[in-house]
Amino acid sequence: MSTPPTANNPQQSPILIMAKRAALMRAQGRDVIDLTLGEPDFNAPPHVLVAAHAALSGRLTYSPSNGIEPLRHAIRMRMRMKDIRNLDYADDQVTVGCGAKQIIYNAFQATLKSGDEVIVPAPYWASYPAMIKMCGARPLIVSTTKEEGFRLTAEHLDAAFRLAKSPKWVVLNAPGNPSGSLYSRKQLLAIAEVLRRYPGVMVLSDDIYSEIRYTNDPYQTLAAVAPDLRDRILIVDGVSKVYAMTGWRVGWGCGPTPLITAISSVQSQNCTQTSTLSQLAAVAALTGSQALVKERNAIYRQRRDSALNVLGACEAIDVECPEGAFYLLPRIRTIKDDQAFALILLEAGVATVPGSAFGMPGHLRLSFATDESILIAGCERLVQKIKASI
Ligand SMILES: Cc1ncc(COP(=O)(O)O)c(C=O)c1O
């Protein structure tokens, strides 16, 4: 019997694979602490749930592929806010999809062809290279170092451009998943300087964690720092992380009209739109009280610090303090194979994601979007296992 065709060889997310294994073991009654998923353990804000309930009494019809107008409007108002981005987008420069993930995929699908390249700094969110490959293109991975705060530097970018044959996109993600690093205005200005020398190349500015930050400095995004490049930048964001609305599947893209139109066209031919109910809930999230965002960030920060206390006390662990998002990326000095070690850890009762999935062999990714006492217990198990294996 012939094997079924696997178009473009799509790969399962390594994050979801580890999460699934952990869930299976728990279903079998095993005591496993799951630190795999980048999924807040909170619920959507109460006023969002109220709005969603109210919306159920109306007819939930198809919406336009680029989203309902009130949501596009709410996104534009939010992008315009001084402390958010201070950027003005016209209505046809905004599109809504089934999460930021689908916006990114649709953007790549609309613009990439075989032989094209996308410059992706490591550590990277595991889905970027997978999506790029599914669109027939090649991820050009650029390594960054701890000393550089795991950020893409202008020098790295320039070197990558000189290596590339057909570069189409550069990926910027801040706060980064899994690094948690932010870019300063100065760093982005230097990156912009390089980008000006390569006019045909687009920039994916994945700002999905922009409102989960632990510094008081204003958020810096390339489109605001280098307005002359705005026609080449796609900003993506969504409700999943900041409002703990992962399952509602609402994300958006803001960028130049032709690209936004192309993204909406791809969307119109695959799932038409994201759920109308979810879009109405997202309007409530964006326009209602933002008090919970601050409160939850304070909780994430406390968890981050508690986890760092446990991990930092172990000599075999080298770990940085993230400026945003909710991940830790410890390097385990004593291991050779992070994938094998993640499986050993799983057997010991703590589920993590091997750093190789993010272009960071020798590391593990731990999500601290989980209850503090569980998180601390998970970190303690990790430390015990490392000590036992030295
Ligand atoms: C860096 C990054 N971008 C995009 C996404 C996708 O988010 P969404 O739930 O909006 O699809 C994630 C989710 O983990 C992420 O970590």
Side-chain angles (χ1 to χ4, degrees):
M1 212 175 93
S2 62
T3 46
T6 52
N8 298 330
N9 192 23
Q11 297 154 0
Q12 268 235 33
S13 153
I15 305 165
L16 298 184
I17 291 173
M18 285 305 279
K20 238 193 218 168
R21 283 192 182 184
L24 193 68
M25 287 170 73
R26 290 170 81 161
Q28 291 164 346
R30 305 269 303 269
D31 168 23
V32 176
I33 293 177
D34 187 357
L35 304 180
T36 57
L37 285 184
E39 170 152 87
D41 56 330
F42 302 114
N43 199 359
H47 63 269
V48 170
L49 302 179
V50 170
H53 273 281
L56 283 174
S57 61
R59 270 192 76 217
L60 294 167
T61 57
Y62 283 133
S63 86
S65 295
N66 59 342
I68 55 172
E69 194 282 331
L71 180 53
R72 294 199 309 272
H73 180 78
I75 293 163
R76 291 170 58 208
M77 292 306 108
R78 193 142 189 88
M79 295 294 286
R80 219 181 253 184
M81 284 168 67
K82 269 216 169 68
D83 57 337
I84 302 289
R85 304 259 194 347
N86 203 10
L87 288 171
D88 251 317
Y89 284 94
D91 185 52
D92 61 1
Q93 295 180 318
V94 177
T95 190
V96 175
C98 304
K101 192 179 230 173
Q102 198 189 31
I103 297 287
I104 298 168
Y105 181 78
N106 288 352
F108 287 160
Q109 179 67 50
T111 54
L112 291 174
K113 59 179 185 341
S114 171
D116 286 344
E117 292 152 317
V118 179
I119 296 174
V120 181
Y124 48 74
W125 179 43
S127 289
Y128 300 134
M131 290 197 263
I132 293 161
K133 287 182 202 161
M134 282 170 75
C135 294
R138 189 169 78 92
L140 214 163
I141 307 295
V142 179
S143 299
T144 67
T145 66
K146 178 184 123 179
E147 289 67 32
E148 294 152 354
F150 298 119
R151 296 181 190 91
L152 180 70
T153 62
E155 293 73 27
H156 287 313
L157 181 60
D158 202 29
F161 272 130
R162 277 188 268 119
L163 267 180
K165 292 186 181 66
S166 177
K168 284 286 167 344
W169 286 87
V170 175
V171 173
L172 288 178
N173 169 218
N177 172 7
S179 70
S181 300
L182 288 159
Y183 285 89
S184 70
R185 189 179 154 77
K186 193 170 157 202
Q187 285 156 349
L188 288 176
L189 282 170
I191 286 175
E193 208 40 57
V194 177
L195 285 165
R196 288 187 188 103
R197 296 204 292 273
Y198 299 90
V201 179
M202 300 285 302
V203 179
L204 168 67
S205 183
D206 184 345
D207 296 6
I208 189 96
Y209 296 99
S210 58
E211 291 183 56
I212 304 179
R213 302 197 311 281
Y214 312 114
T215 65
N216 293 323
D217 303 331
Y219 183 62
Q220 302 292 347
T221 194
L222 187 69
V225 167
D228 60 308
L229 298 181
R230 260 191 62 172
D231 273 358
R232 297 168 49 189
I233 300 171
L234 173 68
I235 292 185
V236 299
D237 203 344
V239 296
S240 289
K241 312 293 178 179
V242 62
Y243 300 112
M245 290 174 66
T246 47
W248 297 76
R249 308 311 300 134
V250 181
W252 50 84
C254 301
T257 309
L259 176 66
I260 292 296
T261 309
I263 292 172
S264 307
S265 299
V266 176
Q267 168 105 329
S268 75
Q269 296 297 1
N270 53 50
C271 71
T272 305
Q273 51 157 117
T274 192
S275 141
T276 305
L277 177 63
S278 295
Q279 294 188 59
L280 290 164
V283 173
L286 287 172
T287 57
S289 164
Q290 303 296 307
L292 266 186
V293 174
K294 262 201 178 145
E295 271 173 42
R296 289 173 173 179
N297 280 355
I299 295 171
Y300 289 137
R301 188 195 183 109
Q302 166 68 36
R303 292 171 177 177
R304 175 197 72 172
D305 294 345
S306 301
L308 283 174
N309 265 341
V310 178
L311 300 180
C314 176
E315 278 187 10
I317 296 179
D318 185 9
V319 61
E320 297 300 299
C321 179
E323 298 169 295
F326 33 60
Y327 307 101
L328 295 171
L329 187 66
R331 182 170 75 89
I332 317 298
R333 293 200 181 102
T334 48
I335 61 165
K336 286 201 178 71
D337 180 342
D338 54 294
Q339 300 189 37
F341 191 64
L343 292 177
I344 293 171
L345 278 178
L346 188 60
E347 281 304 315
V350 55
T352 60
V353 187
S356 307
F358 312 95
M360 297 300 285
H363 294 67
L364 296 170
R365 189 191 81 168
L366 278 55
S367 162
F368 54 88
T370 197
D371 176 82
E372 190 175 347
S373 57
I374 296 175
L375 173 69
I376 292 175
C379 291
E380 283 169 351
R381 280 186 195 178
L382 168 64
V383 168
Q384 274 163 17
K385 198 68 208 170
I386 291 171
K387 285 186 176 159
S389 61
I390 292 176

